[in-house]
Amino acid sequence: MGEASTTLLHSNVGWLLLVLFGAGWIGLGIFWGKRAKSFDGFMLAGRNVGMALGTATAMATWVTSNTVMLAPVFALEKGVWGMIAYSTASFGLLLFAPMSARIRQLIPKGYTSGDFIRLRYGKLAWVLFLIITIVYSMAWLVSMGTAGGKLLQTLSGIPYVNGMTMILFVCVVYTLFGGLYAVIGTDFIQSVIILIGVVVVGSLVLFKTGLTQVYQSIEIHQPSLINALMPVALLSLFNNMFFGFGEVFHNNVWWSRAFAMRKEVAPRAFFVSGLLWFPIPIAAGFIALSASALGINVIDPNTVGPLVASSVLGKTGAVLVFIVVFCSLASSIDSLLAATSDLLVEDVGKKMLGARNDEQSLRRISKLTICGLGLLTWILCAREMNLLEILFLSGPLVASAIWPVIGGLYWKRANSMGAVLAMVIGSIIGLVAYYQLGWYTASLISAAISMSIMLLSILWSRSDFDWKRISETNG
């Protein structure tokens, strides 16, 4: 069977789009990166990011390839509650809005989330936190690289390894040259393209099928998807909500943006970005639920979104879908490369290993780290692992960090022992739940265990932490 009958775009068209947009992002990254005169500028864009760029970078970073791939899968497997479950990840951004103000108040000259944990809880909690966040960041990177390779292969027939390699190469290059300046600048354009693409695709699918036709088709062929009391779907809703809390609250992707934005801008930017992000998984989920009404036979749930879009939009729409996919991938991979590199250089290199603190040395180490992260991600992506397994296996780990972060920000009696036990026991029991009960319980159980331990440790604690110890010793 010829390529034209099995893919939406000819591979030559896919390669042309990939090269053109890849060159565009690299060029823009190098252009904006010229503003990074100092290492502080390279890491945090001069700590002067405004409302428009701040909102765009937060929203675009959170619209990942996982949103494009997994939100439709949630809807296809869990129905209406699945659509809503994935959208609850926006609550993490909404709640991080007031937290960002608190972060800037306590640690105005901070660089990473690790900075705060080290100053607030000490070395043991800091090391444990770094392990959790680095493992999660790599899982996120690998899930996006894997999803990107599969999506480009489905859309245009570009071989999985080739597409995945090209995406990672482009993101590594412009992040390498421009740091956070390049990341935020490209994120702004990518967020506009993503929003336009989602609105156009969702509107056309709705116009062609209609809510009534979709509902009737599901009622006949898959009635469980509209069951309001579907137990697994309800569990996945709360599990995904707490997973989202953990992802945002602990990860340096969001802390670095809190430090990079102007102090008065950060809370508003995170809140607006959460509002903009909320409907995107619902739109992607509706597209997946339309598959039955359109008579599409979905063999691989991971590709349901592109398959439906291709059925409705044809060749012209295929180009739009391809561009939206590439933007969603780049806007997240670049952010993770920059933020994870910052964490490794600042916390592991400077604070743990005592690397040289001069501008030239730190800039060189940072670039080597970005290249190393890109190479490691490529090696892991080459195994072509299951998307859900990659992402949700890290869920219990990040969920266990929710309450240590919250407690450390707001409660003087939060203490190191409570934070350590909350992360260790919460992670272990959450991982046991993942394998024994299912992924849709793991983050929920981990967060509940971590919360219980943290609250008990606060009730029994006699410590009275002096907040000045953080602000006076960082920077």
Side-chain angles (χ1 to χ4, degrees), residues 3-26:
E3 183 184 57
S5 63
T6 58
T7 60
L8 183 56
L9 292 172
H10 193 280
S11 61
N12 290 340
V13 178
W15 274 114
L16 178 63
L17 291 170
L18 200 56
V19 170
L20 286 177
F21 274 86
W25 299 139
I26 290 174

Side-chain angles (χ1 to χ4, degrees), residues 415-438:
N415 55 85
S416 177
M417 185 56 65
V420 168
L421 291 176
M423 288 188 280
V424 171
I425 298 176
S427 295
I428 292 173
I429 296 179
L431 288 171
V432 170
Y434 178 93
Y435 287 106
Q436 298 299 318
L437 301 177

Side-chain angles (χ1 to χ4, degrees), residues 400-474:
S400 73
I402 294 173
W403 292 99
V405 170
I406 293 175
L409 285 171
Y410 294 103
W411 297 324
K412 285 188 172 184
R413 297 175 68 181
N415 55 85
S416 177
M417 185 56 65
V420 168
L421 291 176
M423 288 188 280
V424 171
I425 298 176
S427 295
I428 292 173
I429 296 179
L431 288 171
V432 170
Y434 178 93
Y435 287 106
Q436 298 299 318
L437 301 177
W439 66 265
Y440 46 84
T441 65
S443 297
L444 182 60
I445 290 174
S446 174
I449 296 296
S450 176
M451 178 186 70
S452 300
I453 294 172
M454 200 69 199
L455 292 178
L456 285 174
S457 72
I458 289 171
L459 289 174
W460 291 341
S461 174
R462 294 182 179 179
S463 64
D464 188 24
F465 188 79
D466 183 2
W467 300 116
K468 291 182 180 179
R469 288 172 53 189
I470 296 178
S471 59
E472 291 176 355
T473 55
N474 82 91

Side-chain angles (χ1 to χ4, degrees), residues 70-92:
L70 294 185
V73 172
F74 265 50
L76 195 66
E77 296 181 350
K78 307 295 186 300
V80 175
W81 281 121
M83 293 167 55
I84 299 173
Y86 208 97
S87 288
T88 60
S90 64
F91 297 169

Side-chain angles (χ1 to χ4, degrees), residues 54-56 58-59 93-94 268-278:
T55 300
M59 193 280 289
L93 291 179
L94 294 173
R268 291 183 286 125
F270 280 111
F271 188 80
V272 174
S273 67
L275 293 179
L276 290 173
W277 192 89
F278 178 78

